[in-house]
Amino acid sequence: MAEYTLTTPLTDADVAPLRAGDVVFITGTIYTARDAAHKRLMALIDEGQPLPFELQGSIVYYVGPSPAPPGRPIGAAGPTTSYRMDTYAPRLHALGQKASIGKGKRSDAVKAALKEHTAVYFGATGGAGALLSKCITAARIIAFDDLGPEAIRELTVENFPVLVINDSVGGELYAVPDRKAAGLE
Amino acid sequence: MRTIKAADIVPKVAEMIRHASIHLPDDVKRAFKDCMAAEDSPAAKEIFRQLLENSDMAEATGLPLCQDCGLAVFFVDVGEDVVVQGSLKDAVTRGMVLGYQEGFLRKSSCDPMTRANTGDNTPAIIHFDFVPGDRIRIAFMAKGGGSENMSRVTMLSPAQGWEGIKRFVVERVAEAGPNPCPPTMIGVGIGGTFERAPILAKRSLMRHLDEKHPDPKIAALEDELLTAINKLGIGPMGLGGKTTCLGVKIEMAPCHLASLPLAVNVQCHSIRHEEVVI
Ligand code: SF4
């Protein structure tokens, strides 16, 4: 298990060596989007409209932060469950998105898209919202303000810690449940 | 008869919500420390270290433990010798709105079809019950979506019995894998009717981790399920390890002779529950 420090935007050369289990510290700009924002991104793409941020080399963080208290750039900001974005992710990877950050399993279609477009799926520690907010130094809403916690935000991050869960060569970190030991088989 | 003013209930509910969203219960912190020591894998240990650091960070900064501050679920037990001056339901709801507002907690309640956010986390999900006495007990739980989505209810046939129950519960946890932010706590509701079983399952999660079921037979079943679930090896955050689940809680109720309703409510490691007695 290697350790990397990566700066956004990501290139194929950044992503290709990453393997499931590697620890990565991200510095730079990442974009937040979850269910409702993804749906609107798809509509913009369908209509041929410009997107609120540059997809090429981007990292999309699946998060709906809690409101920022006075004096802080953002509230708690841990990952949300990723599978709800599975229907949208392959299309975004085809358009240049290099990584997503979330928690939980991805579909086979997403894993195939990671291979095809040299992209990765990062996991951040679910529920560690207070801890992760420490690595976010600035945040501003750049689209879909009306969606509240689901609006697209541009986050400036410093050494944001993630694990490679699915890499670009088919590797996966999650444990396969031992059904036999648990008496299911 | 004791009279309680509804207006006096509002700040108590608000304060309870703010506190619960920031402070992980002591028994959960203890469990994290014990599990961290018991794990062999460095990744599993590291997750517990992060969860403990997250809890310290939340206490130090006042930020909520998790950005998903949940839908607000309440179990309100009203003493039969209490008269409430004003609306109890409104008081709990107003306290909830205030708590989420003042605590900078995320409002996650939305219209199921348009997905438009209600803006203030309303409606609160309130389960009322009547009990003997002259007090009101208000128990609060912040129920996040990630773990709630992994919950299920089913109607088994009576012949499936305990083996069927055990299989269904363990299978649910296996399928959920890393999604509900393990290590989890699993609430199981057995019996009642189609709608009662999940309420039992959720209510069981109000018990603390070290609070055994008063009936030793049911307590033994809880242990049996916990052992089976942890053999799955899903581990903290799904990275593998000994701790998939911190505790299993079961509540039972009599059911129809033709039925065996069963509900599994999955609770993530961010176990935010508290109660206030008025
Ligand atoms: S499952 Fe729990 S810990 Fe994980 S993101 Fe949801 S509320 Fe937070």
Side-chain angles (χ1 to χ4, degrees):
Chain A
M1 282 193 294
E3 227 177 80
Y4 294 89
T5 302
L6 294 180
T7 309
T8 62
L10 302 185
T11 61
D12 281 6
D14 289 326
V15 170
L18 303 179
R19 292 292 172 268
D22 288 349
V23 176
V24 177
F25 295 95
I26 303 167
T27 293
T29 304
I30 63 177
Y31 299 96
T32 75
R34 41 175 292 156
D35 313 54
H38 272 81
K39 206 169 166 189
R40 289 204 192 166
L41 285 176
M42 293 299 127
L44 290 178
I45 295 169
D46 287 341
E47 292 161 10
Q49 302 277 339
L51 298 183
F53 62 93
E54 174 61 51
L55 269 186
Q56 193 58 51
S58 66
I59 302 180
V60 174
Y61 184 18
Y62 305 146
V63 57
S66 64
R72 300 197 79 89
I74 199 165
T80 195
T81 323
S82 306
Y83 72 86
R84 297 191 312 270
M85 270 54 78
D86 281 359
T87 40
Y88 313 115
R91 197 167 175 198
L92 295 176
H93 284 306
L95 293 171
Q97 183 189 320
K98 281 287 144 202
S100 56
I101 308 172
K103 67 170 172 97
K105 290 177 282 190
R106 304 311 301 262
S107 68
D108 289 342
V110 172
K111 292 176 201 170
L114 299 180
K115 273 180 153 172
E116 193 181 340
H117 306 293
T118 319
V120 282
Y121 169 49
F122 292 127
T125 301
L131 181 63
L132 287 166
S133 79
K134 205 167 66 172
C135 312
I136 301 170
T137 55
R140 70 184 178 103
I141 293 179
I142 57 166
F144 316 146
D145 200 0
D146 61 302
L147 292 180
E150 296 200 75
I152 294 190
R153 287 169 172 79
E154 181 190 84
L155 305 183
T156 309
V157 294
E158 255 176 58
N159 290 320
F160 189 91
V162 293
L163 269 173
V164 180
I165 302 290
N166 291 103
D167 60 30
S168 60
V169 293
E172 166 152 356
L173 183 62
Y174 284 139
V176 177
D178 190 344
R179 291 190 144 77
K180 204 167 168 198
L184 292 174
E185 281 167 16
Chain B
M1 279 292 168
R2 178 167 165 246
T3 303
I4 296 176
K5 288 202 197 91
D8 293 344
I9 293 170
V10 177
K12 294 205 161 82
V13 170
E15 178 48 32
M16 170 170 68
I17 289 173
R18 283 200 299 267
H19 191 267
S21 301
I22 291 162
H23 300 269
L24 204 60
D26 287 341
D27 60 333
V28 179
K29 277 190 234 168
R30 268 201 306 279
F32 284 178
K33 284 180 194 145
D34 293 348
C35 295
M36 182 162 75
E39 289 286 358
D40 299 323
S41 119
K45 278 187 193 293
E46 168 63 14
I47 294 296
F48 282 115
R49 194 199 61 73
Q50 288 184 17
L51 297 185
L52 286 162
E53 194 185 338
N54 185 58
S55 143
D56 290 345
M57 177 88 184
E59 278 176 29
T61 60
L63 287 179
L65 288 155
C66 180
Q67 75 290 336
D68 187 348
C69 304
L71 284 199
V73 179
F74 295 92
F75 291 95
V76 181
D77 294 343
V78 185
E80 279 155 344
D81 300 326
V82 177
V83 179
V84 179
Q85 227 173 60
S87 163
L88 176 56
K89 191 173 164 189
D90 281 359
V92 173
T93 304
R94 270 168 39 222
M96 185 278 284
V97 169
L98 198 67
Y100 272 74
Q101 206 57 53
E102 292 185 340
F104 294 92
L105 307 179
R106 197 181 87 191
K107 293 86 184 164
S108 303
S109 165
C110 72
D111 181 288
M113 298 316 295
T114 67
R115 310 304 295 176
N117 200 299
T118 67
D120 56 7
N121 227 36
T122 55
I125 314 285
I126 312 177
H127 303 289
F128 287 100
D129 204 353
F130 292 97
V131 297
D134 63 356
R135 290 168 182 222
I136 300 176
R137 177 190 298 266
I138 304 173
F140 161 76
M141 174 191 284
K143 203 64 187 78
S147 56
E148 189 80 339
N149 283 349
M150 298 296 117
S151 303
R152 293 292 183 271
V153 58
T154 188
M155 305 300 280
L156 297 182
S157 97
Q160 287 174 277
W162 174 245
E163 278 313 307
I165 291 168
K166 193 170 151 189
R167 172 168 288 273
F168 184 83
V169 175
V170 178
E171 188 59 58
R172 279 313 312 153
V173 180
E175 275 173 27
N179 294 3
C181 291
T184 53
M185 178 169 165
I186 302 292
V188 182
I190 303 172
T193 46
F194 178 77
E195 81 283 10
R196 172 152 292 177
I199 295 176
L200 289 170
K202 185 156 283 175
R203 177 140 204 167
S204 76
L205 294 172
M206 290 306 305
R207 257 158 62 207
H208 282 274
L209 278 176
D210 40 21
E211 221 177 303
K212 291 248 173 229
H213 196 284
D215 179 340
K217 284 203 286 291
I218 297 180
L221 295 179
E222 291 174 347
D223 288 343
E224 192 181 330
L225 274 179
L226 179 63
T227 305
I229 288 170
N230 278 329
K231 283 192 180 147
L232 286 169
I234 293 167
M237 285 299 142
L239 302 177
K242 296 177 181 172
T243 331
T244 300
C245 180
L246 299 168
V248 175
K249 303 289 170 193
I250 300 177
E251 290 297 326
M252 287 201 210
C255 57
H256 192 284
L257 44 83
S259 307
L260 180 50
L262 171 64
V264 185
N265 199 217
V266 180
Q267 169 62 53
C268 53
H269 64 72
S270 203
I271 304 171
R272 294 154 291 173
H273 59 183
E274 248 176 71
E275 59 180 54
V276 59
V277 178
I278 300 164

